[in-house]
Amino acid sequence: MSNCSRSGDVIEPLLRPQWYVNCQDLKKPMREFVEKKELKIIPEMFEFEWFSWIDNLKDWCISRQLWWGHRVPAYLVTIKEKGITPDLSDEHNWVAAHSYEEALEKAAKKYGVDKSKIELRQDEDVLDTWFSSSLFPFSPFGWPDVENNKELEAFYPGHVLETGHDILFFWVARMVMMGHLLLGKLPFKTVFLHNLVRDKDGEKMSKSKGNVID
């Protein structure tokens, strides 16, 4: 039992099913991008942090129980006449799709029934903030529409990313991961990591800590 750092409310942990991305096949290419200098990290001392994170990479929990964010694109299937009733913990009762209509088509094909007999309910969970952020290098340019997409051709991939060193694995590595997985190209060739502005005690500035400049 603990208390929320912001509201002071009592927090009671509750176990529930989550969505994960299997990251095990990504360890080798993610390491090789930096080893072969396809991705250059400046200063080079942060390569150690990159390799440490990659070598200990675990499956990524991408679902969050929040009121804001991109909703998980998964739909729970109910087909009463086949005895298929909602079971959140059974992955076979779900279909993933870009839209409700596409999910309906997939469910009809998966279970071999007419679409009129299917009930769908989209998961109320939202995607992890870093998952949504990882799509940033290409999502503003109309992705997943890649056919004859002139903006995507013009602006992806980029050249240099500049950011704080504290989010090397939270954001930078995940942008690289999703660019490699979804487009087959790294989103940038060079990562320039700068220092952080800290408070008088050397602590990272944070709204939750209350040590930011008003």
Side-chain angles (χ1 to χ4, degrees):
M1 200 76 73
S2 59
N3 293 83
C4 175
S5 61
R6 297 188 179 185
S7 67
D9 294 328
V10 174
I11 298 173
E12 184 177 358
L14 177 64
L15 293 176
R16 56 168 293 159
Q18 304 290 348
W19 295 101
Y20 285 82
V21 171
N22 186 338
C23 298
Q24 299 316 301
D25 291 339
L26 293 167
K27 288 184 178 182
K28 184 178 179 182
M30 292 286 283
R31 173 175 261 280
E32 289 179 346
F33 294 148
V34 174
E35 286 179 334
K36 296 179 180 180
K37 302 301 180 182
E38 294 176 41
L39 179 68
K40 188 175 182 180
I41 298 176
I42 303 172
E44 287 188 358
M45 65 181 183
F46 286 106
E47 288 184 1
F48 175 82
E49 186 175 329
W50 177 278
F51 293 136
S52 177
W53 184 74
I54 295 300
D55 292 342
N56 293 284
L57 191 59
K58 295 180 172 58
D59 290 346
W60 180 11
C61 179
I62 61 169
S63 51
R64 296 290 182 269
Q65 293 72 54
L66 301 172
W67 291 108
W68 58 88
H70 295 118
R71 283 181 70 179
V72 172
Y75 296 79
L76 187 63
V77 180
T78 300
I79 307 175
K80 292 180 180 178
E81 71 173 30
K82 282 204 167 190
I84 299 174
T85 55
D87 181 358
L88 295 173
S89 62
D90 187 349
E91 63 183 79
H92 298 293
N93 285 357
W94 295 84
V95 292
H98 289 94
S99 65
Y100 183 92
E101 290 71 25
E102 183 183 337
L104 206 56
E105 293 282 352
K106 284 188 172 183
K109 184 176 181 180
K110 179 177 180 179
Y111 295 103
V113 299
D114 188 85
K115 290 188 290 186
S116 62
K117 301 182 184 298
I118 298 171
E119 295 178 21
L120 295 178
R121 178 166 64 85
Q122 187 175 356
D123 196 329
E124 294 180 354
D125 284 358
V126 298
L127 293 168
D128 171 29
T129 299
W130 297 113
F131 185 93
S132 296
S133 300
S134 70
L135 308 178
F136 177 71
F138 45 87
S139 60
F141 307 121
W143 179 89
D145 180 14
V146 296
E147 294 295 328
N148 300 316
N149 188 327
K150 293 183 179 179
E151 282 196 343
L152 193 61
E153 290 176 9
F155 297 110
Y156 188 91
H159 298 286
V160 180
L161 173 75
E162 179 202 356
T163 187
H165 65 78
D166 58 323
I167 55 173
L168 177 61
F169 55 92
F170 282 120
W171 191 26
V172 179
R174 283 166 174 158
M175 284 192 280
V176 171
M177 182 188 297
M178 299 310 267
H180 167 62
L181 276 175
L182 301 177
L183 291 173
K185 301 177 184 177
L186 302 191
F188 29 75
K189 297 178 180 178
T190 302
V191 178
F192 181 79
L193 301 171
H194 59 67
N195 291 326
L196 305 180
V197 177
R198 300 181 182 271
D199 68 9
K200 60 184 177 61
D201 299 314
E203 293 287 331
K204 180 180 174 181
M205 289 189 177
S206 164
K207 285 186 288 185
S208 58
K209 287 182 179 179
N211 62 347
V212 295
I213 298 171
D214 188 342

